[in-house]
Amino acid sequence: MAAPEVHHLFHSPIADHSFSADRELLAVARENNVELYSHTGNRFALKDELKGHEKVVTSVDIAPQTGKIVTCSQDRNAYVWEPSPTGWRPTLVLLRINRAATFVRWAPSERKFAVGSGARVIAVCYFEEENDWWVSKHLKKPIRSTITSIAWHPNSVLLAAGSTDAHARVFSGFIKGVDSRPEPSVWGERLPFNTVCGEFLNGSAGWVHGCAFSPSGDALAFAAHDSSVTVVYPSGPEQPPKAVVSVTTQLLPFMSLIWNGESEIIAAGYDCEAYRLRGDENGWQLVGSLENKSRPGLADRGEESALNMFKQLDLKGKAKNDTQLKTVHQNSINTIRSYEEDASGHVKRFSTSGVDGRVVIWNV
Amino acid sequence: MAYVNYRTIDVDRLDPDSSINFDTSTLLPPLVPVSAADVQSLAGQIRQLLRGGDAEGALIGALQNAPYGGDDKAKEVHLATVIEILQSIKQAEMSPILTRIYQSEGGSETLDILMKYLYKGMSLTQPSSVAGKPISPQPTGFSQITSRGGGEGSGQAMSVLLSWHEKLVEIAGPGSIVRVMTDRRTV
C-alpha cells in the first residue's frame, strides 16, 4: 500500500474540503474564507480566495460537472461561486434562515443543493431563471434540532439528513420544474416535497454527525456521537425497514463516512484516523484502521539511545515526546470524501481533512 | 421611546416552534415504567445468586435489568445492588469477567450499562450503604466536611469503582465512556 499523500496547508482547522472533478482544484474552508488551491507538481499551492462571508464558513462543495462552488457559513448565508473572466463571482442564495448554516451539498444533478442549518430546517435551493436568483424551499417537519450533515440519494430527489435530535431522516426534496419524476424505489413511490421517507434512531440516541447513502441508494448509513455506525435497509414505502444494523465501537465517535461499494464503509472522526467497516443486512463489523502504523519515521522512534533518553528527561522531564500522535492526522478528522473511483464505483482513493489543517489523500 | 436592546431579547420565547417550547423526550422511544417494588424483588433474586457464589451471573442479571423507566427510588435501590456485586468481586477476576461479557451476545451494551453505574456510583459523595440517611449539605460550610462524613467507607467504595473503571476502559474502550455521556436512558 502506497503511503498517503499529506498536504499540510496551514495551522488552523479545516471545516470542510472539496476537490474538483479533475482533482486539480481543492477548496478548503478556512475561518471566514474559502481558499482555493491548485495542484502544481506534487503539492497544492494557494491560488485564490473566496471572500464574502462574514462569519466562519462551515461547508463547501464543488459541483463535479459545472465546477460551481457553493459555500455556506455561520453568517446564515450561502453563496454560489461561478468562474468569470474577472475571478470568481458570487451569487447570494435566499436561504431565509435565522441561525447558522451548517452544511451544504450539491445534488448529483447539480441543479439544486441543500443547506442544513441550526434553524431546524433544510433549505433546498434551486435556480429560478425568471428572477436570476437562487431561491429555496424549506424542509421543516419533523426536524427538532440542528442539521449536522446532508447526503443526497443518487436520484437527486431524496436526501438524508443527520441532526442533533439524534435522528437521521430521509426526505424528499422534489422540486417541480427542476426534477423529473423519480423512479419508485425502496424509499417510496410518490414523493412530493417534504415527504418523510424514514426516521431512524439508534439505541443510545447519540446526535448524528454524518450520513451517507450507499452507491445504489438503497441503504443509509449514519455515524452518531455514541461511537456507533448504524446502517438502515428499508423494505418499502410505509413499512418498517427490513434491517437496522448498529455497530457500537470501542473508539471515539466518527464524524464523517463514505461508502465503498455496497458492503464497505470508511469512517473517520475523533480518533484522527480512518477505519473500515464491512458487512451486509445480516450484520456489520469494524475491520480495522486504514492507516499503516509501521510507516518509516515512526517505527524507529522506539529505539533511542540512553543518552538521548536522559537528555529528554533533563530538558523536558519526560523520556518520550508524547505530543505527537501516531496517526497522520494530528487532530480529529472533520470530513471524509471520495477522491477517485474506479469504473464499478468502488473508491480507489479518498481524502480527509481535519482540525490540524491537513488534507490527506489515502489509498484504499 | 424607551430604549430596547434588541440583542437581549430572547427570540426563542416568541417562536411557537422553538425547542424550549417542546418536550424533547417525545423524540425518544418511551421507556417501560418500573416500580420500586419490582426492583426490590429483583434485588432479592440477585442477592440470592450472589450468595450462591455466582457473582458473574448476578452482575449480568443486574445490568441487563437496569430500571431505565424507574423513578429515583427504584434507580437508587438498583444502584446499591450493582455496587454490592461490584464490591464482592475480587480484583483479579474483573478482567476475565469483563472479557467474557464483552464477547457474549449484546455484551457491548451490557458493559455500557456497567459504565453508567460506575459513573453514577462515583457521583455519590457517600457510600450507598448509608444512602438511607442523607447528610444534609450545609449551605455555608465547606463541602469537604460533609463528604468526610462518609469516611473510610467512601474512599474504599471509590477505589473499587476506579479499578473497575480502569479494567472496563481497557476492554470496552473510550467508546463506552462516550456512550454513557450521550445516552439519555439514565440509570
PDB file of all heavy atoms in Angstrom, chain A residues 99 120 144 165 167 201 203-205 207 225-227 248-251 253, chain B residues 12 17-18 22 27-29 102 108 171-175 178-179 182-183 185:
ATOM      1  N   ARG A  99     -30.616  31.062  11.768  1.00  0.00           N
ATOM      2  CA  ARG A  99     -29.493  30.506  12.501  1.00  0.00           C
ATOM      3  C   ARG A  99     -28.395  30.164  11.500  1.00  0.00           C
ATOM      4  O   ARG A  99     -28.610  30.223  10.290  1.00  0.00           O
ATOM      5  CB  ARG A  99     -29.905  29.226  13.257  1.00  0.00           C
ATOM      6  CG  ARG A  99     -30.837  29.421  14.412  1.00  0.00           C
ATOM      7  CD  ARG A  99     -30.132  30.047  15.591  1.00  0.00           C
ATOM      8  NE  ARG A  99     -30.947  30.009  16.788  1.00  0.00           N
ATOM      9  CZ  ARG A  99     -31.980  30.812  17.055  1.00  0.00           C
ATOM     10  NH1 ARG A  99     -32.325  31.734  16.182  1.00  0.00           N
ATOM     11  NH2 ARG A  99     -32.645  30.697  18.183  1.00  0.00           N
ATOM     12  N   ARG A 120     -33.300  24.481  12.435  1.00  0.00           N
ATOM     13  CA  ARG A 120     -34.140  23.293  12.339  1.00  0.00           C
ATOM     14  C   ARG A 120     -34.824  23.176  10.976  1.00  0.00           C
ATOM     15  O   ARG A 120     -35.947  22.685  10.877  1.00  0.00           O
ATOM     16  CB  ARG A 120     -35.195  23.259  13.456  1.00  0.00           C
ATOM     17  CG  ARG A 120     -34.611  23.256  14.842  1.00  0.00           C
ATOM     18  CD  ARG A 120     -35.702  23.069  15.873  1.00  0.00           C
ATOM     19  NE  ARG A 120     -36.736  24.057  15.731  1.00  0.00           N
ATOM     20  CZ  ARG A 120     -36.706  25.268  16.262  1.00  0.00           C
ATOM     21  NH1 ARG A 120     -35.679  25.634  16.982  1.00  0.00           N
ATOM     22  NH2 ARG A 120     -37.685  26.112  16.073  1.00  0.00           N
ATOM     23  N   ARG A 144     -36.244  18.587  14.769  1.00  0.00           N
ATOM     24  CA  ARG A 144     -36.350  19.252  16.065  1.00  0.00           C
ATOM     25  C   ARG A 144     -35.054  19.915  16.490  1.00  0.00           C
ATOM     26  O   ARG A 144     -34.980  20.499  17.557  1.00  0.00           O
ATOM     27  CB  ARG A 144     -36.764  18.242  17.157  1.00  0.00           C
ATOM     28  CG  ARG A 144     -38.161  17.727  17.055  1.00  0.00           C
ATOM     29  CD  ARG A 144     -39.238  18.764  16.901  1.00  0.00           C
ATOM     30  NE  ARG A 144     -39.071  19.989  17.689  1.00  0.00           N
ATOM     31  CZ  ARG A 144     -39.926  20.988  17.720  1.00  0.00           C
ATOM     32  NH1 ARG A 144     -41.027  20.938  17.001  1.00  0.00           N
ATOM     33  NH2 ARG A 144     -39.701  22.046  18.447  1.00  0.00           N
ATOM     34  N   ASP A 165     -30.932  16.127  17.094  1.00  0.00           N
ATOM     35  CA  ASP A 165     -32.014  15.500  17.845  1.00  0.00           C
ATOM     36  C   ASP A 165     -31.907  13.972  17.772  1.00  0.00           C
ATOM     37  O   ASP A 165     -32.865  13.261  18.082  1.00  0.00           O
ATOM     38  CB  ASP A 165     -33.395  15.997  17.411  1.00  0.00           C
ATOM     39  CG  ASP A 165     -33.694  15.705  15.958  1.00  0.00           C
ATOM     40  OD1 ASP A 165     -32.963  14.910  15.359  1.00  0.00           O
ATOM     41  OD2 ASP A 165     -34.656  16.274  15.416  1.00  0.00           O
ATOM     42  N   HIS A 167     -31.721  11.910  15.350  1.00  0.00           N
ATOM     43  CA  HIS A 167     -32.380  11.185  14.269  1.00  0.00           C
ATOM     44  C   HIS A 167     -31.639  11.397  12.948  1.00  0.00           C
ATOM     45  O   HIS A 167     -31.129  12.480  12.689  1.00  0.00           O
ATOM     46  CB  HIS A 167     -33.810  11.683  14.080  1.00  0.00           C
ATOM     47  CG  HIS A 167     -34.756  11.220  15.137  1.00  0.00           C
ATOM     48  ND1 HIS A 167     -34.757  11.746  16.390  1.00  0.00           N
ATOM     49  CD2 HIS A 167     -35.725  10.276  15.115  1.00  0.00           C
ATOM     50  CE1 HIS A 167     -35.698  11.152  17.114  1.00  0.00           C
ATOM     51  NE2 HIS A 167     -36.305  10.247  16.368  1.00  0.00           N
ATOM     52  N   LEU A 201     -33.205   6.106  14.434  1.00  0.00           N
ATOM     53  CA  LEU A 201     -32.561   6.498  15.671  1.00  0.00           C
ATOM     54  C   LEU A 201     -31.958   5.233  16.230  1.00  0.00           C
ATOM     55  O   LEU A 201     -32.533   4.164  16.082  1.00  0.00           O
ATOM     56  CB  LEU A 201     -33.653   7.065  16.565  1.00  0.00           C
ATOM     57  CG  LEU A 201     -33.577   7.160  18.056  1.00  0.00           C
ATOM     58  CD1 LEU A 201     -33.397   8.609  18.414  1.00  0.00           C
ATOM     59  CD2 LEU A 201     -34.887   6.722  18.641  1.00  0.00           C
ATOM     60  N   GLY A 203     -30.071   2.923  19.475  1.00  0.00           N
ATOM     61  CA  GLY A 203     -30.412   2.653  20.862  1.00  0.00           C
ATOM     62  C   GLY A 203     -30.014   3.721  21.838  1.00  0.00           C
ATOM     63  O   GLY A 203     -30.847   4.204  22.616  1.00  0.00           O
ATOM     64  N   SER A 204     -28.763   4.139  21.793  1.00  0.00           N
ATOM     65  CA  SER A 204     -28.350   5.084  22.817  1.00  0.00           C
ATOM     66  C   SER A 204     -28.558   6.532  22.383  1.00  0.00           C
ATOM     67  O   SER A 204     -28.228   7.451  23.128  1.00  0.00           O
ATOM     68  CB  SER A 204     -26.910   4.820  23.226  1.00  0.00           C
ATOM     69  OG  SER A 204     -26.121   4.522  22.114  1.00  0.00           O
ATOM     70  N   ALA A 205     -29.111   6.734  21.190  1.00  0.00           N
ATOM     71  CA  ALA A 205     -29.583   8.050  20.773  1.00  0.00           C
ATOM     72  C   ALA A 205     -28.527   9.138  20.864  1.00  0.00           C
ATOM     73  O   ALA A 205     -28.727  10.176  21.465  1.00  0.00           O
ATOM     74  CB  ALA A 205     -30.820   8.441  21.565  1.00  0.00           C
ATOM     75  N   TRP A 207     -26.341  12.130  19.064  1.00  0.00           N
ATOM     76  CA  TRP A 207     -26.655  13.007  17.947  1.00  0.00           C
ATOM     77  C   TRP A 207     -25.834  12.586  16.737  1.00  0.00           C
ATOM     78  O   TRP A 207     -24.731  12.081  16.872  1.00  0.00           O
ATOM     79  CB  TRP A 207     -26.488  14.473  18.283  1.00  0.00           C
ATOM     80  CG  TRP A 207     -25.160  14.912  18.812  1.00  0.00           C
ATOM     81  CD1 TRP A 207     -24.186  15.536  18.101  1.00  0.00           C
ATOM     82  CD2 TRP A 207     -24.675  14.794  20.158  1.00  0.00           C
ATOM     83  NE1 TRP A 207     -23.117  15.796  18.918  1.00  0.00           N
ATOM     84  CE2 TRP A 207     -23.379  15.370  20.166  1.00  0.00           C
ATOM     85  CE3 TRP A 207     -25.187  14.280  21.338  1.00  0.00           C
ATOM     86  CZ2 TRP A 207     -22.608  15.421  21.321  1.00  0.00           C
ATOM     87  CZ3 TRP A 207     -24.406  14.327  22.480  1.00  0.00           C
ATOM     88  CH2 TRP A 207     -23.139  14.898  22.466  1.00  0.00           C
ATOM     89  N   HIS A 225     -22.812  10.260  17.790  1.00  0.00           N
ATOM     90  CA  HIS A 225     -21.865  10.587  18.847  1.00  0.00           C
ATOM     91  C   HIS A 225     -21.753   9.496  19.915  1.00  0.00           C
ATOM     92  O   HIS A 225     -20.988   9.627  20.852  1.00  0.00           O
ATOM     93  CB  HIS A 225     -22.234  11.920  19.481  1.00  0.00           C
ATOM     94  CG  HIS A 225     -21.104  12.531  20.242  1.00  0.00           C
ATOM     95  ND1 HIS A 225     -20.010  13.060  19.606  1.00  0.00           N
ATOM     96  CD2 HIS A 225     -20.862  12.648  21.561  1.00  0.00           C
ATOM     97  CE1 HIS A 225     -19.155  13.479  20.525  1.00  0.00           C
ATOM     98  NE2 HIS A 225     -19.633  13.246  21.713  1.00  0.00           N
ATOM     99  N   ASP A 226     -22.522   8.433  19.813  1.00  0.00           N
ATOM    100  CA  ASP A 226     -22.344   7.326  20.742  1.00  0.00           C
ATOM    101  C   ASP A 226     -21.317   6.322  20.191  1.00  0.00           C
ATOM    102  O   ASP A 226     -21.363   5.150  20.544  1.00  0.00           O
ATOM    103  CB  ASP A 226     -23.684   6.649  21.050  1.00  0.00           C
ATOM    104  CG  ASP A 226     -24.361   6.168  19.796  1.00  0.00           C
ATOM    105  OD1 ASP A 226     -23.821   6.437  18.712  1.00  0.00           O
ATOM    106  OD2 ASP A 226     -25.417   5.547  19.869  1.00  0.00           O
ATOM    107  N   SER A 227     -20.413   6.809  19.330  1.00  0.00           N
ATOM    108  CA  SER A 227     -19.364   5.962  18.737  1.00  0.00           C
ATOM    109  C   SER A 227     -19.938   4.807  17.939  1.00  0.00           C
ATOM    110  O   SER A 227     -19.395   3.721  17.957  1.00  0.00           O
ATOM    111  CB  SER A 227     -18.435   5.381  19.807  1.00  0.00           C
ATOM    112  OG  SER A 227     -17.699   6.374  20.403  1.00  0.00           O
ATOM    113  N   THR A 248     -21.609  -0.670  17.528  1.00  0.00           N
ATOM    114  CA  THR A 248     -21.022   0.204  18.537  1.00  0.00           C
ATOM    115  C   THR A 248     -19.543  -0.142  18.613  1.00  0.00           C
ATOM    116  O   THR A 248     -19.170  -1.301  18.648  1.00  0.00           O
ATOM    117  CB  THR A 248     -21.674  -0.003  19.907  1.00  0.00           C
ATOM    118  OG1 THR A 248     -21.665  -1.391  20.206  1.00  0.00           O
ATOM    119  CG2 THR A 248     -23.093   0.496  19.934  1.00  0.00           C
ATOM    120  N   THR A 249     -18.707   0.875  18.620  1.00  0.00           N
ATOM    121  CA  THR A 249     -17.271   0.640  18.581  1.00  0.00           C
ATOM    122  C   THR A 249     -16.635   1.003  19.916  1.00  0.00           C
ATOM    123  O   THR A 249     -17.244   1.648  20.755  1.00  0.00           O
ATOM    124  CB  THR A 249     -16.613   1.488  17.492  1.00  0.00           C
ATOM    125  OG1 THR A 249     -16.675   2.852  17.894  1.00  0.00           O
ATOM    126  CG2 THR A 249     -17.300   1.336  16.168  1.00  0.00           C
ATOM    127  N   GLN A 250     -15.390   0.565  20.062  1.00  0.00           N
ATOM    128  CA  GLN A 250     -14.621   0.925  21.263  1.00  0.00           C
ATOM    129  C   GLN A 250     -13.935   2.263  21.079  1.00  0.00           C
ATOM    130  O   GLN A 250     -13.247   2.736  21.965  1.00  0.00           O
ATOM    131  CB  GLN A 250     -13.553  -0.142  21.525  1.00  0.00           C
ATOM    132  CG  GLN A 250     -14.136  -1.512  21.806  1.00  0.00           C
ATOM    133  CD  GLN A 250     -13.087  -2.578  21.717  1.00  0.00           C
ATOM    134  OE1 GLN A 250     -12.469  -2.751  20.686  1.00  0.00           O
ATOM    135  NE2 GLN A 250     -12.872  -3.298  22.790  1.00  0.00           N
ATOM    136  N   LEU A 251     -14.124   2.863  19.905  1.00  0.00           N
ATOM    137  CA  LEU A 251     -13.372   4.062  19.543  1.00  0.00           C
ATOM    138  C   LEU A 251     -14.135   5.322  19.922  1.00  0.00           C
ATOM    139  O   LEU A 251     -15.270   5.269  20.382  1.00  0.00           O
ATOM    140  CB  LEU A 251     -13.144   4.055  18.031  1.00  0.00           C
ATOM    141  CG  LEU A 251     -12.562   2.774  17.471  1.00  0.00           C
ATOM    142  CD1 LEU A 251     -12.789   2.720  15.986  1.00  0.00           C
ATOM    143  CD2 LEU A 251     -11.100   2.702  17.805  1.00  0.00           C
ATOM    144  N   PRO A 253     -16.109   8.791  18.683  1.00  0.00           N
ATOM    145  CA  PRO A 253     -17.105   8.874  17.610  1.00  0.00           C
ATOM    146  C   PRO A 253     -16.527   9.224  16.233  1.00  0.00           C
ATOM    147  O   PRO A 253     -15.503   9.880  16.131  1.00  0.00           O
ATOM    148  CB  PRO A 253     -18.011  10.009  18.090  1.00  0.00           C
ATOM    149  CG  PRO A 253     -17.793  10.112  19.539  1.00  0.00           C
ATOM    150  CD  PRO A 253     -16.403   9.684  19.790  1.00  0.00           C
TER     151      PRO A 253
ATOM    152  N   ASP B  12     -36.302  32.998  21.117  1.00  0.00           N
ATOM    153  CA  ASP B  12     -36.861  31.651  21.171  1.00  0.00           C
ATOM    154  C   ASP B  12     -38.194  31.616  21.902  1.00  0.00           C
ATOM    155  O   ASP B  12     -39.056  30.802  21.602  1.00  0.00           O
ATOM    156  CB  ASP B  12     -35.868  30.704  21.865  1.00  0.00           C
ATOM    157  CG  ASP B  12     -34.775  30.257  20.916  1.00  0.00           C
ATOM    158  OD1 ASP B  12     -35.066  30.215  19.703  1.00  0.00           O
ATOM    159  OD2 ASP B  12     -33.675  29.989  21.366  1.00  0.00           O
ATOM    160  N   ASP B  17     -42.555  27.390  17.539  1.00  0.00           N
ATOM    161  CA  ASP B  17     -41.897  26.131  17.163  1.00  0.00           C
ATOM    162  C   ASP B  17     -40.594  25.894  17.909  1.00  0.00           C
ATOM    163  O   ASP B  17     -39.929  24.891  17.682  1.00  0.00           O
ATOM    164  CB  ASP B  17     -41.561  26.140  15.661  1.00  0.00           C
ATOM    165  CG  ASP B  17     -42.801  25.953  14.828  1.00  0.00           C
ATOM    166  OD1 ASP B  17     -43.777  25.423  15.374  1.00  0.00           O
ATOM    167  OD2 ASP B  17     -42.792  26.351  13.660  1.00  0.00           O
ATOM    168  N   SER B  18     -40.240  26.841  18.745  1.00  0.00           N
ATOM    169  CA  SER B  18     -38.924  26.779  19.366  1.00  0.00           C
ATOM    170  C   SER B  18     -38.732  25.531  20.211  1.00  0.00           C
ATOM    171  O   SER B  18     -39.682  24.980  20.780  1.00  0.00           O
ATOM    172  CB  SER B  18     -38.730  28.014  20.214  1.00  0.00           C
ATOM    173  OG  SER B  18     -37.742  27.786  21.170  1.00  0.00           O
ATOM    174  N   PHE B  22     -40.881  22.807  23.585  1.00  0.00           N
ATOM    175  CA  PHE B  22     -41.094  21.476  23.032  1.00  0.00           C
ATOM    176  C   PHE B  22     -40.454  20.447  23.952  1.00  0.00           C
ATOM    177  O   PHE B  22     -39.333  20.631  24.419  1.00  0.00           O
ATOM    178  CB  PHE B  22     -40.450  21.420  21.639  1.00  0.00           C
ATOM    179  CG  PHE B  22     -40.526  20.085  20.990  1.00  0.00           C
ATOM    180  CD1 PHE B  22     -41.692  19.692  20.368  1.00  0.00           C
ATOM    181  CD2 PHE B  22     -39.444  19.224  21.002  1.00  0.00           C
ATOM    182  CE1 PHE B  22     -41.773  18.459  19.770  1.00  0.00           C
ATOM    183  CE2 PHE B  22     -39.526  17.988  20.411  1.00  0.00           C
ATOM    184  CZ  PHE B  22     -40.700  17.616  19.791  1.00  0.00           C
ATOM    185  N   LEU B  27     -39.133  12.715  21.474  1.00  0.00           N
ATOM    186  CA  LEU B  27     -38.372  12.262  20.311  1.00  0.00           C
ATOM    187  C   LEU B  27     -37.858  10.846  20.494  1.00  0.00           C
ATOM    188  O   LEU B  27     -37.532  10.170  19.540  1.00  0.00           O
ATOM    189  CB  LEU B  27     -37.168  13.174  20.093  1.00  0.00           C
ATOM    190  CG  LEU B  27     -37.444  14.548  19.520  1.00  0.00           C
ATOM    191  CD1 LEU B  27     -36.196  15.387  19.575  1.00  0.00           C
ATOM    192  CD2 LEU B  27     -37.925  14.422  18.087  1.00  0.00           C
ATOM    193  N   LEU B  28     -37.741  10.443  21.745  1.00  0.00           N
ATOM    194  CA  LEU B  28     -37.134   9.155  22.027  1.00  0.00           C
ATOM    195  C   LEU B  28     -38.197   8.102  22.279  1.00  0.00           C
ATOM    196  O   LEU B  28     -39.299   8.421  22.693  1.00  0.00           O
ATOM    197  CB  LEU B  28     -36.238   9.276  23.255  1.00  0.00           C
ATOM    198  CG  LEU B  28     -35.171  10.358  23.123  1.00  0.00           C
ATOM    199  CD1 LEU B  28     -34.574  10.682  24.460  1.00  0.00           C
ATOM    200  CD2 LEU B  28     -34.111   9.917  22.148  1.00  0.00           C
ATOM    201  N   PRO B  29     -37.853   6.838  22.029  1.00  0.00           N
ATOM    202  CA  PRO B  29     -38.823   5.792  22.308  1.00  0.00           C
ATOM    203  C   PRO B  29     -39.175   5.777  23.799  1.00  0.00           C
ATOM    204  O   PRO B  29     -38.302   6.009  24.635  1.00  0.00           O
ATOM    205  CB  PRO B  29     -38.103   4.508  21.899  1.00  0.00           C
ATOM    206  CG  PRO B  29     -36.715   4.872  21.584  1.00  0.00           C
ATOM    207  CD  PRO B  29     -36.594   6.335  21.471  1.00  0.00           C
ATOM    208  N   TYR B 102     -18.012  -9.123  27.313  1.00  0.00           N
ATOM    209  CA  TYR B 102     -17.834  -8.399  26.049  1.00  0.00           C
ATOM    210  C   TYR B 102     -17.995  -9.324  24.860  1.00  0.00           C
ATOM    211  O   TYR B 102     -18.546  -8.952  23.825  1.00  0.00           O
ATOM    212  CB  TYR B 102     -16.456  -7.743  26.017  1.00  0.00           C
ATOM    213  CG  TYR B 102     -16.251  -6.852  24.810  1.00  0.00           C
ATOM    214  CD1 TYR B 102     -16.945  -5.653  24.706  1.00  0.00           C
ATOM    215  CD2 TYR B 102     -15.402  -7.220  23.779  1.00  0.00           C
ATOM    216  CE1 TYR B 102     -16.785  -4.834  23.599  1.00  0.00           C
ATOM    217  CE2 TYR B 102     -15.231  -6.411  22.671  1.00  0.00           C
ATOM    218  CZ  TYR B 102     -15.922  -5.217  22.590  1.00  0.00           C
ATOM    219  OH  TYR B 102     -15.771  -4.411  21.492  1.00  0.00           O
ATOM    220  N   SER B 108     -21.484  -5.707  24.458  1.00  0.00           N
ATOM    221  CA  SER B 108     -21.050  -4.317  24.420  1.00  0.00           C
ATOM    222  C   SER B 108     -22.049  -3.416  25.150  1.00  0.00           C
ATOM    223  O   SER B 108     -21.668  -2.534  25.920  1.00  0.00           O
ATOM    224  CB  SER B 108     -20.887  -3.907  22.964  1.00  0.00           C
ATOM    225  OG  SER B 108     -20.767  -2.532  22.847  1.00  0.00           O
ATOM    226  N   ILE B 171     -11.158  -2.817  28.083  1.00  0.00           N
ATOM    227  CA  ILE B 171     -11.897  -3.758  27.250  1.00  0.00           C
ATOM    228  C   ILE B 171     -12.904  -3.058  26.338  1.00  0.00           C
ATOM    229  O   ILE B 171     -12.949  -3.315  25.147  1.00  0.00           O
ATOM    230  CB  ILE B 171     -12.570  -4.822  28.133  1.00  0.00           C
ATOM    231  CG1 ILE B 171     -11.475  -5.743  28.676  1.00  0.00           C
ATOM    232  CG2 ILE B 171     -13.588  -5.635  27.348  1.00  0.00           C
ATOM    233  CD1 ILE B 171     -11.865  -6.529  29.862  1.00  0.00           C
ATOM    234  N   ALA B 172     -13.688  -2.154  26.884  1.00  0.00           N
ATOM    235  CA  ALA B 172     -14.746  -1.542  26.078  1.00  0.00           C
ATOM    236  C   ALA B 172     -14.291  -0.260  25.401  1.00  0.00           C
ATOM    237  O   ALA B 172     -15.005   0.271  24.550  1.00  0.00           O
ATOM    238  CB  ALA B 172     -15.974  -1.279  26.937  1.00  0.00           C
ATOM    239  N   GLY B 173     -13.122   0.266  25.736  1.00  0.00           N
ATOM    240  CA  GLY B 173     -12.586   1.434  25.049  1.00  0.00           C
ATOM    241  C   GLY B 173     -13.268   2.731  25.415  1.00  0.00           C
ATOM    242  O   GLY B 173     -14.273   2.742  26.127  1.00  0.00           O
ATOM    243  N   PRO B 174     -12.722   3.846  24.918  1.00  0.00           N
ATOM    244  CA  PRO B 174     -13.322   5.141  25.214  1.00  0.00           C
ATOM    245  C   PRO B 174     -14.740   5.277  24.640  1.00  0.00           C
ATOM    246  O   PRO B 174     -15.518   6.113  25.092  1.00  0.00           O
ATOM    247  CB  PRO B 174     -12.370   6.157  24.575  1.00  0.00           C
ATOM    248  CG  PRO B 174     -11.333   5.403  23.869  1.00  0.00           C
ATOM    249  CD  PRO B 174     -11.494   3.951  24.126  1.00  0.00           C
ATOM    250  N   GLY B 175     -15.050   4.451  23.634  1.00  0.00           N
ATOM    251  CA  GLY B 175     -16.393   4.496  23.054  1.00  0.00           C
ATOM    252  C   GLY B 175     -17.465   4.303  24.098  1.00  0.00           C
ATOM    253  O   GLY B 175     -18.524   4.928  24.063  1.00  0.00           O
ATOM    254  N   VAL B 178     -18.066   7.544  25.934  1.00  0.00           N
ATOM    255  CA  VAL B 178     -18.822   8.478  25.103  1.00  0.00           C
ATOM    256  C   VAL B 178     -20.299   8.097  25.099  1.00  0.00           C
ATOM    257  O   VAL B 178     -21.176   8.960  25.145  1.00  0.00           O
ATOM    258  CB  VAL B 178     -18.252   8.490  23.672  1.00  0.00           C
ATOM    259  CG1 VAL B 178     -19.024   9.439  22.808  1.00  0.00           C
ATOM    260  CG2 VAL B 178     -16.801   8.878  23.670  1.00  0.00           C
ATOM    261  N   ARG B 179     -20.575   6.798  25.082  1.00  0.00           N
ATOM    262  CA  ARG B 179     -21.977   6.362  25.056  1.00  0.00           C
ATOM    263  C   ARG B 179     -22.684   6.699  26.363  1.00  0.00           C
ATOM    264  O   ARG B 179     -23.854   7.050  26.367  1.00  0.00           O
ATOM    265  CB  ARG B 179     -22.071   4.866  24.774  1.00  0.00           C
ATOM    266  CG  ARG B 179     -22.006   4.563  23.298  1.00  0.00           C
ATOM    267  CD  ARG B 179     -22.319   3.112  22.998  1.00  0.00           C
ATOM    268  NE  ARG B 179     -21.245   2.211  23.365  1.00  0.00           N
ATOM    269  CZ  ARG B 179     -20.151   2.020  22.650  1.00  0.00           C
ATOM    270  NH1 ARG B 179     -19.982   2.676  21.526  1.00  0.00           N
ATOM    271  NH2 ARG B 179     -19.224   1.186  23.036  1.00  0.00           N
ATOM    272  N   THR B 182     -23.709  10.287  26.015  1.00  0.00           N
ATOM    273  CA  THR B 182     -24.757  10.639  25.056  1.00  0.00           C
ATOM    274  C   THR B 182     -26.101  10.006  25.403  1.00  0.00           C
ATOM    275  O   THR B 182     -27.136  10.571  25.091  1.00  0.00           O
ATOM    276  CB  THR B 182     -24.394  10.191  23.634  1.00  0.00           C
ATOM    277  OG1 THR B 182     -24.055   8.811  23.691  1.00  0.00           O
ATOM    278  CG2 THR B 182     -23.244  10.969  23.079  1.00  0.00           C
ATOM    279  N   ASP B 183     -26.073   8.863  26.033  1.00  0.00           N
ATOM    280  CA  ASP B 183     -27.316   8.119  26.217  1.00  0.00           C
ATOM    281  C   ASP B 183     -28.253   8.835  27.180  1.00  0.00           C
ATOM    282  O   ASP B 183     -27.844   9.261  28.255  1.00  0.00           O
ATOM    283  CB  ASP B 183     -26.998   6.724  26.763  1.00  0.00           C
ATOM    284  CG  ASP B 183     -28.078   5.735  26.402  1.00  0.00           C
ATOM    285  OD1 ASP B 183     -29.229   6.166  26.232  1.00  0.00           O
ATOM    286  OD2 ASP B 183     -27.759   4.542  26.280  1.00  0.00           O
ATOM    287  N   ARG B 185     -30.944   7.387  28.341  1.00  0.00           N
ATOM    288  CA  ARG B 185     -31.509   6.397  29.262  1.00  0.00           C
ATOM    289  C   ARG B 185     -30.573   6.319  30.457  1.00  0.00           C
ATOM    290  O   ARG B 185     -29.542   5.683  30.401  1.00  0.00           O
ATOM    291  CB  ARG B 185     -31.626   5.034  28.579  1.00  0.00           C
ATOM    292  CG  ARG B 185     -32.593   5.016  27.420  1.00  0.00           C
ATOM    293  CD  ARG B 185     -32.466   3.744  26.638  1.00  0.00           C
ATOM    294  NE  ARG B 185     -31.104   3.578  26.121  1.00  0.00           N
ATOM    295  CZ  ARG B 185     -30.710   2.539  25.408  1.00  0.00           C
ATOM    296  NH1 ARG B 185     -31.553   1.579  25.137  1.00  0.00           N
ATOM    297  NH2 ARG B 185     -29.470   2.458  24.971  1.00  0.00           N
TER     298      ARG B 185
END
